[in-house]
Amino acid sequence: MEPPTNPGDGPGELELTVDNVESALYQLYFDPDMERKNVAQKWLTQAQGSAQAWQFCWALLSPDKIPEVQFFGASTLHTKISHHWSDLPTDQHESLRMQLLSHILYFSSGPKMVLTRLCVALASMALNLIPQAWSQPVADMVRAFQPQRPDSEGGSAAEASQDPHAHCLALLELLTVLPEEFQSGRLAQVRRTQLREALAGEWKVVCPMLRQLLQSQDSSNQVKDKVLRCLSSWVRLDVPLGESHELVQDCFTELSNPELFDTAVETIVNAISQPDCQRYVDALVKLMPLVLGLHDQLRKAAQGGDMETSHGICRIAVAMGETHSRILLEQVDHWQEYLALVNMILYCTGIPGHYPVSETTSSLTLTFWYTLQDDILSFDEEKQAVYLQVYRPVYFQLVDVLLHKSHYPSQEEYTSWSSDDKEQFRIYRVDISDTLMYVYEMLGAELLSNLYDRLGRHLMDPQQSAIWQDTEALLFGFQSIAETIDVNYSDVIPGLIGLIPRINISNIMLADTVMYTIGSLAEWLADHPVMLGGILPMVLQGLAKAELSVSSVSTLKRICRECRHDLGPYAQDILTVSQVHISQCMWLMQALGFLLSALPVDEILGRLHSLITPHIQRLDTLAHREPDPTNKQSIIHILGMLSSLFTTLDINRQADGSEGAASPRLTASQSTQNPVVVVLQQVFTLIQTILGKWLDDSDVVEAVCGVFDKSVRTLLHDFGPMVAQLSEMLGQIYSTFPQASALDLARQMVHIFAGEEHHFSNIKSLTEMLTSATLTIFQQGPRDHPDIAESFMHLHAQLFLLFYCLDMISTFDNNFILFCPGILSLKFPETPTVKAASLFFTELLPRSKDVPSLGEVLQNDGKLLTETILQAVGGGSPRSLAEHFSEVLLSLNRHCPALLSQWLKETLQTPGFPSAQVSSEQKHTFSQQLLREQSNKRRVKEIVKEFSLLCRGLQGSGYSEY
């Protein structure tokens, strides 16, 4: 059927009639104009919510309508039943049920999408009526779908199909969607429990029928497929496995049918994965031989490259073994069967082929080994000893299998892989690494000894050592364990450190793993610095190869961080090599920062100058060139290198501290300025020159601010000599061209220096300049600057947090000069900005009692704040932001409850505010609930979330009575 040539000017202008609904549907489906489609969709959504929808939906299901129109009619029925059930008088329930049954019978032969939607509508109706008004829904449905049933019941004008096969499929569709509709509906907990019990009772009718259909010789594959899907749907209701295990056993028969294999696998997995199954141990034990019986089919599939079959059988084995591990371990009379299942899963782990190119099964098994290990180690010591005797050999086999599966393919084959395959393989190796680390808990030091012995034998045999994949896999095993397990007391690590220099690292992938293995042993090297001499040359050689830049720099950084106090003899070599390859990685600068931090203070400045002078000279050259994209990237790169260096260069770092930790300031050299400060003062003029040309480029300004930000965070109070000139520069650049990075840097300075008397005036002047410039942006319209709004809110939240800054606060509190930007920021759709504004108000409100002018602003404009939050909660802002608004409401209730009560009353009494969806009673309930909570943050979030759902018409949809 062709769409009408002139469906109207637009459905928004049409009366709600069947013809107009159909016209709007044609516009939605066939009009190429997206704007007209959107108008039609909006109008049709409104039409579905109207009272007339109960009538026009049946006309849309007329046999002469196209499937799209019929589908909308069926969908409208579902919408009305699920969301507007209370609108339908009780005396019309029976008539509606009969009409639905009649139409389902008629559409049993198709179209499928209409049939499914009608079944969902009837399922929705059943969930509204069970159990009081419809005590035996399944039995009634089965009777209604008997082939010999008269077609006139229900009074439908449609001639119902008399095809028994179609009737059977329609009944199975209806029984399938019934539990699914229950699972997806929004139901109160009491009602959900009541319905679950009622539906579980109906399983006694469903189960025998499904079993009969599955066993019948007359059932087509189509019917059997529907039976399997129906069972899969019902088991999610936790129906007793004790009542259905025979039906589940029948499903195994269908695994030999290629057409039903995938559906049968899905059904069996769903059936045996339900946690409730553990109550039916006998049923699980009876299913075990059927699972083990699939081993031959699994082997044939794996050997024949049938990935789909091996994948499906593996899913069944893992579902049985993982979900019920502890229960099956406890069945001591059947221990051999469970051990056989474990070995079957081990076969799946080691299935032939390279993941993910020639197999995708092995990854399914990895979590099983975690579960089994946890369950074994959770037994008391006596039982644990027995289980370990049985399963430790299996776990040693598992290690061999995992190392084999982690092998890289040949270089030629690996080159042919797609980038996506390579990324999946990388993630797969990470998963294997995590599993090996976990297995160490069970196997202990014996695992490391095993790996070391194998690596030693491998490297001593010229033929074996030529196979680089074997060497790489063994080192990968060591690295996986050493990365997270404390191996400092292992007696094999000295031998491993001695073996590593013997490894030929001509292959890049092997060399990468060698580097990462050395990095994982950095803490051990810190305790055994005498071994550094044999290892460092390999790492420094790696820096010379571009392909190893990431792994070698990462390893050098770890060594410099952990072993920095023992690197004095090697410092010159490290600096020399690094200066040649410094452009390769920012991490290298962080490594050198650690290295320089441990040198004698009087040496640091000289070496620092030697390291950075070439880059400063390059930066000076670039600063005097005309701006262009190439120069910009070079400037940002050099500034980034300086930021990385200053992140870790800290002469006050504790000898045994970790990255970022700082010891008390040095006392022996109080008069000596920090080397970083000296360098920053020397390049300050250069940085001003750069800003003079690039001030309007946010990337360059952010890079400049990054240098100072990293320095402030690392040096803390040692940064003091820079405060005055940096404050002046920040104020000037922000006043000229406001950028969020300048506000973020200022916040760090406020955090550290606002409490120091000799810096207070500089910080106050800076804050005043930044605030003045930002307020100008808010007056002009801040919507295009969410980052500035966010940073500004964070800055002033920091000021309020630091109570000693009240002198600064009092400068900006009259005429709601800060209140207004805060309220505007709450209206932004960006989550970070709203979160920052919420933090601003939660820090401001507690101070209102201590600063009289703040209290006056709150008295005058708190109502506006309350109104803004309620409007946002009521639908003005994304629902995900509700929890941030709840924090402000809680703070208002804590610090000015009487005022909040008054503001809530005044704002909520406005009709239709904050939403036409909520009644006066619901608004009153919300106010009372909110005002009762002054400390329970979780409860306030729940109250606000509930009210937000009510305002959006989303609360209470479904079948429950709230």
Side-chain angles (χ1 to χ4, degrees), residues 698-765:
S698 59
D699 295 330
V700 174
V701 173
E702 184 176 350
V704 168
C705 291
V707 173
F708 292 106
D709 183 77
K710 294 294 190 294
S711 303
V712 171
R713 290 173 184 267
T714 304
L715 303 184
L716 301 176
H717 296 280
D718 280 357
F719 189 82
M722 292 292 302
V723 169
Q725 59 188 138
L726 180 57
S727 297
E728 182 181 358
M729 185 184 79
L730 262 185
Q732 291 172 351
I733 66 173
Y734 190 82
S735 298
T736 307
F737 200 88
Q739 299 197 33
S741 54
L743 292 172
D744 295 334
L745 174 55
R747 176 158 58 100
Q748 289 302 320
M749 295 173 67
V750 165
H751 175 64
I752 296 169
F753 297 109
E756 295 189 7
E757 186 176 349
H758 56 291
H759 292 306
F760 183 81
S761 60
N762 289 316
I763 298 298
K764 182 178 180 181
S765 298

Side-chain angles (χ1 to χ4, degrees), residues 308-327:
E308 289 76 12
T309 300
S310 57
H311 193 88
I313 294 174
C314 176
R315 286 185 62 201
I316 294 172
V318 170
M320 176 65 83
E322 187 173 336
T323 310
H324 310 295
S325 172
R326 187 178 182 89
I327 292 295

Side-chain angles (χ1 to χ4, degrees), residues 335-353:
W335 70 271
Q336 289 177 312
E337 287 184 357
Y338 188 60
L339 179 58
L341 178 64
V342 171
N343 280 310
M344 182 177 176
I345 295 173
L346 181 63
Y347 178 82
C348 293
T349 304
I351 203 161

Side-chain angles (χ1 to χ4, degrees), residues 195-264:
L195 275 176
R196 185 183 292 277
E197 291 174 356
L199 289 173
E202 295 294 296
W203 178 241
K204 294 178 180 178
V205 179
V206 177
C207 185
M209 184 189 73
L210 295 183
R211 193 166 188 221
Q212 181 183 353
L213 288 171
L214 199 59
Q215 292 179 335
S216 172
Q217 297 291 328
D218 298 329
S219 294
S220 65
N221 281 346
Q222 194 177 6
V223 168
K224 289 184 176 182
D225 183 82
K226 275 291 181 188
V227 168
L228 292 168
R229 293 179 189 277
C230 187
L231 170 58
S232 188
S233 178
W234 278 83
V235 295
R236 291 190 176 93
L237 296 177
D238 292 332
V239 294
L241 183 64
E243 297 177 10
S244 54
H245 70 92
E246 292 177 336
L247 175 57
V248 177
Q249 289 175 23
D250 293 338
C251 296
F252 279 83
T253 306
E254 307 308 325
L255 291 171
S256 60
N257 186 335
E259 291 185 29
L260 298 176
F261 179 82
D262 289 341
T263 310

Side-chain angles (χ1 to χ4, degrees), residues 368-437:
F368 163 77
W369 300 108
Y370 288 76
T371 304
L372 177 60
Q373 178 175 316
D374 284 346
D375 287 334
I376 290 173
L377 297 181
S378 69
F379 287 113
D380 60 58
E381 289 187 14
E382 187 177 346
K383 280 187 177 181
Q384 192 180 121
V386 174
Y387 287 117
L388 287 175
Q389 188 175 359
V390 175
Y391 288 102
R392 267 176 63 90
V394 176
Y395 271 82
F396 273 111
Q397 291 180 55
L398 172 65
V399 171
D400 292 342
V401 167
L402 291 175
L403 292 179
H404 180 73
K405 293 298 292 183
S406 71
H407 274 201
Y408 280 97
S410 66
Q411 191 68 51
E412 182 181 359
E413 183 183 348
Y414 189 69
T415 304
S416 70
W417 284 14
S418 68
S419 57
D420 185 55
D421 287 337
K422 290 177 181 177
E423 176 61 12
Q424 286 191 54
F425 183 61
R426 184 193 68 79
I427 295 171
Y428 177 66
R429 278 172 54 100
V430 170
D431 292 339
I432 288 178
S433 176
D434 291 343
T435 308
L436 288 169
M437 177 271 294

